[in-house]
Amino acid sequence: MTGRLRLGVNIDHVATIRNARGGDHPDPVRAAEIVAAVGGDGITAHLREDRRHIRDDDLARIQSATDLPLNLEMAATDEMLEIALRHSPHAACIVPERREERTTEGGLDAAGQHNRLAPIVTRLADAGIRVSLFIAPEERQLEAAMRLGAPVVEFHTGEYAHAEGEARAVELRRLSDLAALAVKNGIEPHAGHGLTYENVQPVAAIPQIAELNIGHYLVGEAVFVGLEAAVKRMRDLMDAAR
């Protein structure tokens, strides 16, 4: 798989800033509109159980504001399944979720939760929603995604992002190998978590990866340079890597 690498921008932390004081500012919908205007390929939003950033009413407003596909990150719960079916986003990425974590700390244990995940994957797929599983780049988890019939996996790149030197090279090879294995088995590989201007290009250069989802870093950079400039620079780095 080659060609233009898609950039999905996670706007959760625009909502985090809004929620710190309540009210409506800054509005994540405005962030979605900016991403659309500067060439982003999709909007990612994680509706958490505790609603710490994106809120329920944000989803419909985001969908109405732009034509970009919405990728809804969601826990494997009955509540989130019903919300996904009601809003019918382009994609639903099933992620692990613990209330006490600050951010998603690792990949979904698709292998250990097959029986829980299988009916959720089926119902989403039957509703025409593209299902993705957010997993560690491990063969066991990829095989589980295959058994579940997920058309997409998103590899958690946290281990790569936090590693240094040879350890990072090892993690990069693992990502590359698993991306190739995914494509070989008919699964589209995406990647995300912890990606920055400094570390994105080696991942972007993996030819099989079709999409990167990046959020926290871009919102942080936007504090200094604006969201438009932050997204444009990431887009340029990704394009240069391909």
Side-chain angles (χ1 to χ4, degrees):
M1 185 179 297
T2 58
R4 186 176 188 272
L5 177 62
R6 299 191 300 269
L7 171 60
V9 178
N10 187 318
I11 59 173
D12 287 350
H13 294 297
V14 176
T16 303
I17 298 169
R18 173 195 63 188
N19 297 351
R21 292 191 67 176
D24 300 320
H25 183 77
D27 189 350
V29 172
R30 184 178 175 190
E33 291 171 336
I34 291 171
V35 172
V38 299
D41 299 291
I43 300 297
T44 294
H46 183 178
L47 184 67
R48 282 182 172 266
E49 177 197 21
D50 60 9
R51 309 308 200 264
R52 70 178 66 169
H53 29 62
I54 293 294
R55 302 189 298 231
D56 298 59
D57 67 307
D58 292 329
L59 297 178
R61 295 193 308 117
I62 291 167
Q63 288 175 298
S64 296
T66 85
D67 292 328
L68 291 184
L70 174 64
N71 175 36
L72 175 63
E73 292 186 340
M74 55 175 277
T77 66
D78 293 339
E79 178 195 20
M80 292 301 156
L81 173 61
E82 293 307 315
I83 290 171
L85 293 174
R86 185 162 65 249
H87 287 275
S88 192
H90 168 73
C93 183
I94 303 176
V95 302
E97 184 176 311
R98 295 190 304 116
R99 179 169 287 196
E100 63 270 24
E101 67 187 0
R102 291 187 179 182
T103 186
T104 305
E105 294 175 345
L108 182 73
D109 183 11
Q113 298 182 41
H114 180 277
N115 291 345
R116 174 60 184 159
L117 294 171
I120 295 175
V121 170
T122 297
R123 288 194 65 190
L124 290 169
D126 287 348
I129 299 170
R130 187 196 71 188
V131 181
S132 174
L133 302 180
F134 187 63
I135 61 172
E138 298 172 357
E139 191 166 344
R140 174 173 173 264
Q141 298 300 340
L142 181 60
E143 289 172 350
M146 292 163 53
R147 289 194 297 272
L148 286 162
V152 178
V153 294
E154 180 172 339
F155 291 126
H156 184 285
T157 51
E159 292 295 326
Y160 161 80
H162 298 138
E164 298 180 355
E166 180 57 28
R168 175 171 286 186
V170 169
E171 291 299 327
L172 183 65
R173 286 194 295 271
R174 189 154 66 109
L175 284 166
S176 181
D177 290 346
L178 267 293
L181 185 60
V183 169
K184 182 179 178 180
N185 286 280
I187 293 179
E188 181 175 283
H190 300 177
H193 197 85
L195 297 176
T196 70
Y197 296 151
E198 288 71 34
N199 65 26
V200 72
Q201 287 194 302
V203 176
I206 298 172
Q208 293 86 359
I209 290 181
E211 180 175 304
L212 300 181
N213 284 293
I214 305 173
H216 180 268
Y217 183 79
L218 290 175
V219 174
E221 283 297 298
V223 172
F224 303 106
V225 303
L227 186 58
E228 179 178 346
V231 173
K232 281 184 174 179
R233 184 176 178 197
M234 186 62 76
R235 176 75 266 167
D236 288 346
L237 289 168
M238 290 167 54
D239 289 343
R242 281 287 168 101

